[in-house]
Amino acid sequence: AAGGACAAVLVLLALRVMRRSKLVHIAHRSTWLEPIAINLERILRPRREWLALGVYSLLFQSLAAAVVWLAFLAVGADVGIAQAMLITAAAGVASILPISISGLGVVEGAIAGAAVALGVDYDAAVLAALVVRILVTPVSAACGIFLVTSRQ
């Protein structure tokens, strides 16, 4: 997590330096690069919202890791918090792969695979992955229904 935060800070600093460069001025003259330059400038403006976004992101990741940890605890697997965080990260990466709907099957495979790689019994890892899916699906469905109905 600390490495990811350091990488994000370095990227933001590099983008801030780029903002003052001739590269950005060139991008503004190009019709297909201008939207990218405008969005980068919006991102780089100092805002209080970034702090709230960081806090909410940390809270979300902590809750996701807690769900994974509790799922493994529920099936009797000995998984620590650090291992649960690593498994959660593997599931997060797998969830963005565009090879299934909502990461169905891919996320469970990533959870089970990461857990087995960390020394968890295969059967317990698969069961914990299914428990995570069973817990997450109703919450996702409720949020989807809320989103659809709130737009009307």
Side-chain angles (χ1 to χ4, degrees):
C6 290
V9 168
L10 289 174
V11 167
L12 287 175
L13 288 174
L15 290 173
R16 185 172 285 281
V17 170
M18 281 179 51
R19 186 168 104 179
R20 296 185 189 116
S21 73
K22 290 184 178 184
L23 191 61
V24 172
H25 296 294
I26 292 169
H28 276 292
R29 289 187 214 140
S30 169
T31 56
W32 61 277
L33 286 178
E34 185 178 23
I36 296 171
I38 290 170
N39 285 332
L40 281 176
E41 288 174 351
R42 285 182 186 160
I43 289 170
L44 294 176
R45 282 189 206 130
R47 297 182 181 175
R48 285 184 290 148
E49 293 90 13
W50 285 113
L51 178 60
L53 179 63
V55 169
Y56 292 141
S57 178
L58 183 62
L59 178 64
F60 173 79
Q61 294 302 325
S62 299
L63 289 173
V67 166
V68 169
W69 179 69
L70 289 171
F72 278 94
L73 194 63
V75 300
D78 185 28
V79 172
I81 298 291
Q83 290 172 317
M85 293 174 83
L86 182 60
I87 294 167
T88 303
V93 170
S95 70
I96 63 172
L97 295 174
I99 56 177
S100 74
I101 297 171
S102 188
L104 194 59
V106 178
V107 171
E108 290 77 14
I111 291 172
V116 168
L118 293 171
V120 176
D121 178 59
Y122 174 78
D123 293 332
V126 170
L127 186 57
L130 293 174
V131 166
V132 169
R133 177 58 72 178
I134 290 168
L135 292 174
V136 169
T137 299
V139 175
S140 297
C143 290
I145 290 168
F146 174 76
L147 179 68
V148 168
T149 58
S150 66
R151 288 186 176 180
Q152 296 174 354

